[in-house]
Amino acid sequence: MGIEPAREVTVSVIIPVYNAADCLAECLQSVADQSIGFENVEIIAVDDGSTDGSGALLDAWAARHPGRIRVVHQDNSGAPGGPRNRGIDMAAGEFLFFADPDDYLGTEALERMVAAARRNDSDVVLGRIRGVGRKAPVTPFRRNVEGGDIFTCRAVWSLTAQKLFRRSLVTERGLRFAEGLRLAEEQMFVVPACLHARSISVVADYDCYHLVHREDFPHLTRQAPDPEPFYANVRDVLNTVVAHVPPGRRRNDLLYRWLTLEILGRFQAAFTELPEETRQVHVRLAGELLDAFMPRELIAELPTLSRLRCLLISQGLVEELTALCGLVPRPEPAQEPKDTAGPPPPVRRVRTRRRLKRRIRALAGALRGGGGRPGDTA
């Protein structure tokens, strides 16, 4: 319904929708209530094969707001990249903004971001993201930035799609989201956009976007990625970075983000729970990325435990890496003590763990004495 665009559109808000009936109305209303004026906005909602009534809800909104809400229905694609790309092809706005159906916008969000884009000839604008029951990026939003770049804005520390993009940049550069990928699919869109942008601005003094945790909503960021497509996508992104930024400190400052989050971030406590074959694939593919993209001087700046992880990954030591991830888990909230009495673990398992601990300690000892970036932790 509502396939034809409105006559003049400032911002096209593109929303991929899959089984979001319980929260979708809040998202749509937040766009309709924008201070820039709903007459200057169009919503393009792509129903990605919903089975919970989301499609009917979208059609009802489109019927109430002809010319302002355009809805298309398609078979489920399994990830938001495809629906977002379809929305890009349909968009008529001067700018694009990508929202998710379980989140909502601050009332002045689009007005403030469009003003920053026009004031500074910015092709990308980051609006402050507020986490509601979940974490949100902080680093890029410490201060307003008027017409900066990927370095001054620290833009790589917020690579989600929820930003304002000038549509002419997107069409001229042929930018598209990775399709069928359930984690980090935005990066092949956002990173080239930031690298090619004439300038990037940051609206840090207003909560433009509310990133909401919902208990019953399937947040893709919480799901373990399929390693093959995940690392292939990271490789594509890193190829883009090294193609545009010469070797040296500025490139390393960007690579540090992927080293610590996309690569080392896969090797935490949850890694120990993966099947052995999957762990082997993670280590092999992560090791290939380390060898291909991460300079030795960058790895040398990491804290000791992070450098140890890099060493174990590069050498393909899956068993030792698994043991390390189990020995250094992420902190968990304190819980009431429980009676954990039970049969002792088999002697062979105890001896294996002791042997691995000794080997890990020996490797860590050999790495001690290196530097590290101020404030970094393992």
Side-chain angles (χ1 to χ4, degrees):
M1 297 183 63
I3 296 300
E4 292 301 318
R7 182 168 298 177
E8 292 186 8
V9 179
T10 301
V11 184
S12 298
V13 179
I14 298 172
I15 309 174
V17 178
Y18 177 70
N19 286 356
D22 291 342
C23 48
L24 180 56
E26 181 180 23
C27 177
L28 296 173
Q29 192 64 54
S30 75
V31 180
D33 290 342
Q34 287 296 296
S35 60
I36 199 173
F38 197 26
E39 68 275 10
N40 297 308
V41 178
E42 68 169 354
I43 296 175
I44 300 176
V46 181
D47 172 26
D48 197 33
S50 297
T51 59
D52 69 340
S54 293
L57 189 154
L58 290 171
D59 288 340
W61 271 74
R64 292 199 304 270
H65 303 282
R68 290 295 144 206
I69 300 180
R70 303 159 63 196
V71 179
V72 291
H73 304 274
Q74 65 179 37
D75 293 338
N76 181 250
S77 66
R84 286 178 180 146
N85 289 338
R86 188 166 185 182
I88 291 171
D89 292 337
M90 296 173 58
E94 179 184 359
F95 299 96
L96 307 176
F97 187 88
F98 299 94
D100 285 338
D102 53 326
D103 302 326
Y104 61 92
L105 282 72
T107 305
E108 300 175 18
L110 297 182
E111 181 180 14
R112 287 173 178 253
M113 287 190 286
V114 167
R118 289 176 171 168
R119 190 166 60 242
N120 302 301
D121 287 329
S122 294
D123 293 325
V124 180
V125 179
L126 284 67
R128 188 171 72 194
I129 300 174
R130 179 187 177 190
V132 181
R134 60 185 296 190
K135 291 183 178 180
V138 174
T139 299
F141 304 114
R142 300 189 189 280
R143 62 184 178 89
N144 287 344
V145 177
E146 300 283 340
D149 58 23
I150 194 172
F151 304 101
T152 58
C153 292
R154 309 293 302 277
V156 296
W157 294 98
S158 177
L159 292 182
T160 59
Q162 291 79 32
K163 298 171 180 61
L164 190 78
F165 300 90
R166 195 178 296 271
R167 186 165 66 93
S168 58
L169 170 71
V170 174
T171 56
E172 289 168 7
R173 296 291 178 177
L175 303 182
R176 289 295 184 269
F177 291 89
E179 298 195 15
L181 193 67
R182 300 173 67 84
L183 185 65
E185 85 289 341
E186 310 104 321
Q187 294 190 10
M188 272 308 294
F189 180 95
V190 177
V191 172
C194 290
L195 289 168
H196 289 294
R198 290 174 298 172
S199 77
I200 303 172
S201 292
V202 178
V203 177
D205 56 356
Y206 182 77
D207 291 334
C208 293
Y209 193 81
H210 297 259
L211 193 67
V212 184
H213 168 72
R214 301 184 190 272
E215 290 291 341
D216 298 327
F217 195 80
H219 296 283
L220 296 182
T221 54
R222 293 187 163 199
Q223 301 176 15
D226 183 348
E228 295 278 0
F230 172 77
Y231 289 106
N233 182 62
V234 173
R235 177 178 288 274
D236 289 341
V237 175
L238 291 175
N239 277 324
T240 300
V241 171
V242 300
H244 286 81
V245 184
R249 169 54 59 186
R250 281 159 65 89
R251 179 196 281 185
N252 287 355
D253 285 344
L254 299 184
L255 294 178
Y256 179 75
R257 184 248 191 254
W258 283 274
L259 173 59
T260 56
L261 295 186
E262 271 69 31
I263 298 179
L264 295 182
R266 294 295 104 201
F267 300 96
Q268 304 289 345
F271 176 73
T272 66
E273 301 172 5
L274 298 175
E276 181 179 358
E277 183 177 347
T278 303
R279 283 185 277 121
Q280 291 173 348
V281 175
H282 271 282
V283 172
R284 175 175 59 82
L285 296 177
E288 291 174 358
L289 293 183
L290 283 178
D291 294 342
F293 295 101
M294 301 302 161
R296 290 183 179 180
E297 66 269 20
L298 176 58
I299 294 175
E301 293 182 352
L302 297 174
T304 301
L305 281 175
S306 294
R307 284 186 285 128
L308 177 56
R309 283 189 175 92
C310 289
L311 177 63
L312 297 176
I313 293 169
S314 294
Q315 294 186 0
L317 299 176
V318 179
E319 190 177 13
E320 287 84 353
L321 185 60
T322 303
L324 177 63
C325 293
L327 290 172
V328 191
R330 288 181 174 175
E332 294 182 357
Q335 298 179 350
E336 292 294 325
K338 297 180 181 179
D339 182 6
T340 57
V347 173
R348 179 178 300 176
R349 186 190 306 170
V350 172
R351 289 175 177 170
T352 300
R353 290 181 63 184
R354 287 175 179 169
R355 176 177 59 81
L356 290 171
K357 285 182 180 180
R358 287 195 297 269
R359 178 166 174 78
I360 289 168
R361 285 171 182 153
L363 289 167
L367 288 170
R368 285 197 185 96
R373 295 190 174 210
D376 285 348
T377 60

